Amino acid sequence: MLLVTGGAGYIGSHFIKTYLDLNPSESVIVVDNLSEGHRDALIYPDRIRLVQEDVGHIAAMSQIMQDHDVDAVVHFAASCYVGESQTQPTKYFQNNVVQTLNLFQAMEQAQVSRFLFSSTCATYGNPIRLPLDESHPQQPINIYGLTKLMMEMALKGYHERLNWSYVALRYFNAAGADESGQIGESHAPETHLIPNVLKTALQQRDSVEIYGDDYDTPDGTCLRDYIHVTDLALAHCKALNFLKSNVVGEAINLGTTHGASVKEVIDLCREITGCDIPVKLSPRRPGDPPSLVANADKAKAVLGWETRYSLRQIIETAWHWEQHRCY
């Protein structure tokens, strides 16, 4: 049985839908405290058992794993906002480090040793070369990236000393929504660029904030590698198959290898929606690197994975979701 933490969240729910679609005889255990997740994002209730619990509750998590004969954990539960991490570091160290270490202790007690980890390109910090490959130095410039790097280092120790198998998937910028329209991105507050641009198109916001236009990029705004959430979900399925058939300790980038600036994203949203989208220039946010673009060669070589969705398709699926959202 597969245990998914944070499975009612944005990326977790898309992974679960993709995993269950690809494995029609399987079911999953989801542990989510629903602080940011949504019950309605778990669209196959007959194949999902949701346990509303903190992943850092050692005794409860160990018992769940033993009761359901769990053989692998996919870990999405975390706080994940760069800006917030800079102003609330204690929250991020507690949720992303302490809670995850408690989860490791529960796994030890239940003798579970396969772990698929939701990591991030924020572990790299300011790039010294682009595109970023997995050998790039990891020197995070924000607390969020630091907490994820700390857990990658902990996993390396568990792999080397306890023979755990793990894959740390370093995401670039997740975006978009499932093509079915049943699930999508829903955060409160929403801090990600594409949904906020589309909310502005729907007149749910007065304007889109551009945080700095004086970066060393072609148009002065931050450059990011946007990856469709369904592409991410499929990568997790492939990584899980790889993990279950090998004793490994790997870190793998997930990105498209193409960057788009904040201004380019806004312009494409204007084209797709046909709406005027006002913008507001604001100061830079602390912890934002100028450019983050992936080298995803390792994902292709090791997992046989490549992205399928373009930035246009990412925005089109996100636009459909924003117009018809279910939660």
Side-chain angles (χ1 to χ4, degrees), residues 286-299:
D288 271 347
S291 300
L292 292 171
V293 180
N295 178 325
D297 289 349
K298 186 174 180 179

Side-chain angles (χ1 to χ4, degrees), residues 83 95 121 142 147 160 172 178 187 202 204 228 260 271 284 288:
N95 287 351
C121 63
N142 53 63
T147 62
E160 292 175 349
F172 283 66
D178 189 79
H187 300 117
L202 289 169
Q204 296 170 5
H228 196 282
E271 179 185 331
R284 292 186 182 191
D288 271 347

Side-chain angles (χ1 to χ4, degrees), residues 231-247:
D231 279 333
L232 276 183
L234 185 58
H236 283 76
C237 295
K238 289 180 175 289
L240 190 61
N241 290 337
F242 176 65
L243 188 64
K244 288 186 174 182
S245 57
N246 299 273
V247 178

Side-chain angles (χ1 to χ4, degrees), residues 5 13 21 30 50 57 82 95 117 126 135 144 151 178 182 185 205 239 264 268-269 306 322:
T5 72
S13 61
D21 284 344
V30 172
L50 172 62
H57 188 162
V82 168
N95 287 351
F117 182 50
N126 283 322
S135 67
Y144 169 61
M151 291 301 91
D178 189 79
Q182 296 172 286
E185 188 166 10
R205 293 171 55 96
E264 287 173 330
L268 186 53
C269 287
E306 294 182 273
E322 290 296 340

